[in-house]
Amino acid sequence: MKSAGVLIVISLLLTISAGCKNKQVTQQGKNPVLLGFSQIGAESAWRTYNSKSIRKAAEENGIQLLFSNAEQKQENQIKAIRSFIVYRVDVIAFVPIVQDGWDNVLREAKNAHIPVIVCDRKIRTKDESLYAAYIGTDSVEEGRKAARFLLQKYEGAGGTHSILELRGTDGSSASDGRAQGFREELSKNKAFRIIYSESGNFIRSRGREIARNILDANNDALQIGGEKIDIIFSANDGMTLGFLEELASRGIATGNQESGITVVTVDAQQEAIDKLRSGDINCVIECEPDIGQEVMDAAKKLAAGERVPRLLHVEEEIFTENDDLLRIAPRNY
Ligand code: AHR
């Protein structure tokens, strides 16, 4: 058991950020804060940028980073967190791939007196003392924003509006939260009906595959059981872009184009903003990946034994076809 733990620690050490090859001593003679960070993987352009943000902020703040990539597996995240405990890092931060199943490992961290920051996605636990802070997005609110846009757009339109939903990773707060907020707000108008929902796991190629399967089964028409889809609500840009690629390859236009298929997507990566500008997407709900500085600020305070706010929802915007689209700053991802 012990040697397995040591092996994991060694492999983690290999991923220490450039310039921080060992537990180092700063010029002032102080040990830098040692932060263990467990990332989900690289399922989307958003996620890749989120990892960049963490690495960059760690470097800029003189924080020694142990960065571990879980390749979409919760068990790898749990192993990484255990290795951080064995290595006696000052602070642990992680992006929980799903909401449940963290209590045991977080209790181990607590018993070792290592504070934990939950980043980007939330966890579900009865014991709130298992982590010090959450920093990231408010996914339920993102879902509500998407629904509010639709309620406004279709106000007074008459008839019913059928929705196809692309979910992200089931069990994650990002996907479940968006789905929850969307339904909550949309229930205010019975004209909206979600007639199809499938998980594309936040992956672009899966978005395309879902579109391909639907179109193949319906003679190239975007419909389910003979009913035309009026609205696509997608839990991330990657899946949206994959889905729209397949539609375009079969000559089906979306957004402001003549087909009248409304598209609402979450993230706000540059490609989605470009499609909002070209009229292929109607609404983009921003999800902020650039949370590195906030995480480092909290890590420094926690390592110094200070308290930090328990909940930090980062500021996020909504961009719609009704806005002055020139105001949107270029994205980095
Ligand atoms: O947790 C945030 C979500 O995860 C983003 O919407 C998605 O693109 C990412 O992979």
Side-chain angles (χ1 to χ4, degrees):
M1 249 342 255
K2 208 163 180 186
S3 60
V6 169
L7 270 179
I8 295 165
V9 170
I10 291 170
S11 75
L12 271 168
L13 283 173
L14 296 175
T15 70
I16 289 182
S17 300
C20 299
K21 296 222 172 55
N22 275 304
K23 243 192 162 185
Q24 292 180 334
V25 175
T26 60
Q27 279 173 343
Q28 294 77 31
K30 280 199 219 149
N31 281 330
V33 172
L34 180 57
L35 172 68
F37 189 92
S38 166
Q39 179 61 283
I40 295 172
E43 73 282 2
S44 61
W46 189 101
R47 180 67 53 208
T48 304
Y49 188 71
N50 177 242
S51 295
K52 262 191 204 158
S53 166
I54 296 293
R55 288 182 192 277
K56 181 165 172 271
E59 205 172 315
E60 287 171 358
N61 286 268
I63 288 183
Q64 200 175 340
L65 181 68
L66 292 178
F67 188 97
S68 167
N69 178 334
E71 288 168 4
Q72 309 300 320
K73 291 201 177 90
Q74 183 177 30
E75 69 209 61
N76 289 348
Q77 291 203 280
I78 292 174
K79 274 187 205 154
I81 294 172
R82 290 213 163 106
S83 326
F84 297 150
I85 297 170
V86 172
Y87 196 63
R88 303 210 55 74
V89 298
D90 299 306
V91 180
I92 291 171
F94 77 116
V95 179
I97 184 160
V98 289
Q99 300 185 73
D100 295 319
W102 302 102
D103 282 29
N104 288 345
V105 73
L106 294 188
R107 198 159 293 119
E108 290 167 32
K110 186 181 170 185
N111 291 341
H113 305 288
I114 302 175
V116 172
I117 307 170
V118 178
C119 306
D120 168 39
R121 295 185 185 176
K122 293 182 178 170
I123 63 167
R124 195 159 27 212
T125 175
K126 287 203 179 91
D127 184 354
E128 296 290 320
S129 77
L130 293 180
Y131 65 97
Y134 167 78
I135 297 173
T137 192
D138 182 346
S139 301
V140 177
E141 184 57 20
E142 287 168 344
R144 289 191 197 115
K145 283 180 186 166
R148 279 184 210 123
F149 167 76
L150 293 173
L151 290 170
Q152 208 174 16
K153 181 174 171 71
Y154 286 84
E155 197 180 354
T160 58
H161 318 298
S162 55
I163 302 174
L164 176 147
E165 178 189 42
L166 295 175
R167 304 189 311 278
T169 303
D170 286 334
S172 70
S173 68
S175 184
D176 294 2
R178 286 167 193 168
Q180 179 196 322
F182 187 66
R183 283 163 177 74
E184 208 178 278
E185 195 68 20
L186 213 61
S187 65
K188 293 180 178 162
N189 184 339
K190 299 285 172 255
F192 291 97
R193 287 179 311 120
I194 300 173
I195 65 165
Y196 189 80
S197 178
E198 186 170 344
S199 167
N201 228 358
F202 288 126
I203 297 171
R204 185 171 180 143
S205 59
R206 280 283 299 129
R208 183 156 191 169
E209 192 183 317
I210 293 171
R212 189 180 306 129
N213 292 341
I214 294 173
L215 296 171
D216 282 352
N218 291 280
N219 287 328
D220 279 354
L222 187 59
Q223 55 182 41
I224 302 289
E227 189 169 352
K228 180 182 169 291
I229 298 295
D230 301 312
I231 297 162
I232 298 165
F233 169 52
S234 165
N236 91 333
D237 288 346
M239 294 186 297
T240 310
L241 294 165
F243 198 95
L244 296 193
E245 257 160 30
E246 188 60 29
L247 294 189
S249 76
R250 309 208 192 192
I252 301 175
T254 56
N256 296 331
Q257 324 295 336
E258 75 282 358
S259 74
I261 302 169
T262 298
V263 181
V264 182
T265 181
V266 184
D267 272 1
Q269 73 183 70
Q270 186 60 50
E271 236 183 302
I273 297 297
D274 292 344
K275 291 220 174 292
L276 177 66
R277 288 198 172 115
S278 63
D280 300 296
I281 288 179
N282 304 75
C283 173
V284 179
I285 314 291
E286 184 183 36
C287 177
E288 180 58 80
D290 196 5
I291 57 171
Q293 188 54 51
E294 286 80 357
V295 174
M296 299 311 142
D297 286 344
K300 283 191 279 189
K301 286 194 175 147
L302 289 169
E306 292 169 36
R307 292 174 75 93
V308 298
R310 257 200 81 73
L311 178 75
L312 178 61
H313 279 153
V314 288
E315 270 181 41
E316 290 164 337
E317 288 199 64
I318 166 166
F319 307 114
T320 82
E321 58 193 351
N322 310 316
D323 295 337
D324 168 13
L325 300 177
L326 292 175
R327 82 182 166 93
I328 307 174
R331 331 295 294 167
N332 297 313
Y333 58 102

